[in-house]
Amino acid sequence: MFLRSILSHKHYSSVSFFAPIVAGKMSNHQPRLQTLAQIIPPLTTSLHKGDCGRIATIGGCEEYTGAPYFAASSALRLGVDIAYVVCEKDAAGVIKGYSPDLIVAPYLRSVDNLEQGRTVGHVVQKIETILDKLHAVSVGSGLGNDKRIGECVVGAVKAARDRQLPIVLDADSLALVCDDPGIISGYKNAVLTPNAPEFNRLAKSLNVSTEALDTIEAAQKVAEALGGVTIVRKGPSDVITDGQKTFICEETGGLRRCGGQGDILSGSIAAFLAWGRKYCEGKWKHTGGEINPQDITLLAAYAACLVTRHASFLAYDECGRATQSSDVLEQVDIAFDNKFDALLKAVKPK
């Protein structure tokens, strides 16, 4: 399509360099693309399998199998090396059939499927064997509302925190946070991605009144109430804040609101968080400056919003009203290249 053809790589090669992250209640601020590019691993002959990140999506039940597929596959399309899906037993066969690229672990158990003599603790121990291999985890896509699955996920989130893993909480996992904010409160390696109704329920559970606040201020208040976790308040513009620093992603997206786009965002955030963890470990450095490790979570969330919204725009430009999330997924790698390919060629690894 015409709009897609004009969004070639060359249009993104002349972006100015670093912009500071502004503290306080600053809004309408965007990091420069070169800053975000510092997080992205350079592809070199010295890399080994896993150096570009290993992530997992925890989610998927009998009713919802597409959501975890979208989340994990979006991370792979961005360039993560390995993606696991940790799902309920009844969802595993279906998800395996979607793609041979995913490693599917049928470890979650519903009320109906928890075998006699096994406990939630046993399930969490199985999940921990995967967490030990990861650089980031996304939780909630296609999780459903089964009580036993929820208990397994709460245990997995606590185990991920113990390992200091970056965590993305989306969709049904946000209901678990509403029930017990302590699951994630104060954990600054966490990103929550509520849409408008989910955000309102989250604010209510935290006793945060948002009626007299605009969207940006409300998101900042909720992030503060959760002890500085990063909130991605999805909407016409995505508000990304930890309560002290705020980015606004105003990248043009498509006009379709088909289910599954939030899962693509969740997996994309996990990918950038995994890269951020590897960056902080000193796995690579680009020429042109360094990033404060404390800013990685915000930057990763913003970068994922940027790519996902652009992928949505490209999919809508091609498919129009018929756009589905599978179409958006097909555009994730193109959206990434449009935003970052020229920059990565210009900003060489040290």
Side-chain angles (χ1 to χ4, degrees):
M1 292 290 185
F2 173 73
L3 286 177
R4 181 175 172 184
S5 68
I6 68 172
L7 291 169
S8 61
H9 298 171
K10 65 184 179 181
H11 295 286
Y12 297 93
S13 60
S14 60
V15 184
S16 57
F17 206 62
F18 286 94
I21 297 178
V22 178
K25 303 303 181 183
M26 179 68 180
S27 64
N28 199 29
H29 182 74
Q30 302 168 349
R32 294 177 182 172
L33 294 184
Q34 275 102 335
T35 306
L36 303 176
Q38 299 293 312
I39 304 173
I40 300 169
L43 298 180
T44 67
T45 57
S46 64
L47 291 175
H48 301 283
K49 182 172 67 175
D51 284 347
C52 287
R54 296 182 295 270
I55 69 99
T57 293
I58 300 178
C61 63
E62 183 179 15
E63 295 90 346
Y64 305 116
T65 57
Y69 162 76
F70 285 133
S73 295
S74 65
L76 289 177
R77 283 187 172 269
L78 285 174
V80 162
D81 287 336
I82 297 173
Y84 295 84
V85 174
V86 180
C87 63
E88 213 283 329
K89 181 174 70 171
D90 287 343
V94 178
I95 298 171
K96 287 181 180 181
Y98 291 151
S99 172
D101 298 314
L102 302 176
I103 302 173
V104 182
Y107 294 165
L108 297 178
R109 288 294 183 270
S110 64
V111 168
D112 292 337
N113 284 338
L114 185 64
E115 296 86 350
Q116 187 174 2
R118 294 192 70 201
T119 66
V120 168
H122 292 131
V123 173
V124 173
Q125 286 177 358
K126 292 274 285 184
I127 297 173
E128 287 178 328
T129 64
I130 291 178
L131 295 179
D132 288 335
K133 305 173 184 178
L134 302 181
H135 303 113
V137 60
S138 168
V139 182
S141 295
L143 201 61
N145 57 9
D146 181 272
K147 179 181 178 181
R148 196 70 68 235
I149 293 176
E151 292 171 352
C152 295
V153 168
V154 168
V157 169
K158 291 179 179 178
R161 286 190 65 166
D162 290 342
R163 289 160 175 77
Q164 290 296 298
L165 280 176
I167 305 170
V168 187
L169 293 171
D170 182 39
D172 296 315
S173 68
L174 297 175
L176 301 176
V177 177
C178 290
D179 292 339
D180 181 10
I183 294 169
I184 207 66
S185 181
Y187 188 59
K188 296 189 178 182
N189 286 336
V191 179
L192 277 62
T193 61
N195 58 26
E198 291 166 341
F199 180 83
N200 291 336
R201 289 192 290 269
L202 185 60
K204 184 177 180 180
S205 72
L206 296 167
N207 295 315
V208 174
S209 176
T210 61
E211 294 180 1
L213 303 176
D214 63 28
T215 302
I216 297 170
E217 292 172 328
Q220 290 169 337
K221 288 292 186 184
V222 169
E224 287 177 352
L226 281 171
V229 305
T230 294
I231 298 290
V232 176
R233 203 288 195 183
K234 298 179 290 192
S237 297
D238 295 331
V239 180
I240 304 146
T241 183
D242 62 3
Q244 298 301 313
K245 301 172 184 177
T246 300
F247 292 144
I248 310 297
C249 185
E250 298 176 313
E251 177 71 22
T252 301
L255 298 180
R256 287 281 282 123
R257 297 295 177 263
C258 44
Q261 292 184 83
D263 303 301
I264 292 172
L265 174 61
S266 179
S268 297
I269 295 174
F272 278 97
L273 287 173
W275 293 341
R277 183 181 175 109
K278 299 291 285 184
Y279 173 88
C280 290
E281 292 173 354
K283 189 63 182 178
W284 63 82
K285 296 290 182 185
H286 295 282
T287 56
E290 297 186 7
I291 296 173
N292 185 334
Q294 294 180 353
D295 296 330
I296 291 290
T297 303
L298 278 170
L299 291 169
Y302 180 91
C305 288
L306 180 75
V307 170
T308 304
R309 291 173 72 97
H310 187 46
S312 171
F313 170 81
L314 294 176
Y316 181 76
D317 178 51
E318 186 169 295
C319 301
R321 191 177 293 270
T323 302
Q324 300 298 309
S325 287
S326 54
D327 302 311
V328 179
L329 180 65
E330 290 291 325
Q331 300 292 342
V332 166
D333 53 317
I334 298 172
F336 176 87
D337 285 346
N338 282 348
K339 296 300 181 183
F340 294 112
D341 189 57
L343 291 172
L344 292 172
K345 290 175 180 177
V347 182
K348 301 296 183 183
K350 292 182 180 179

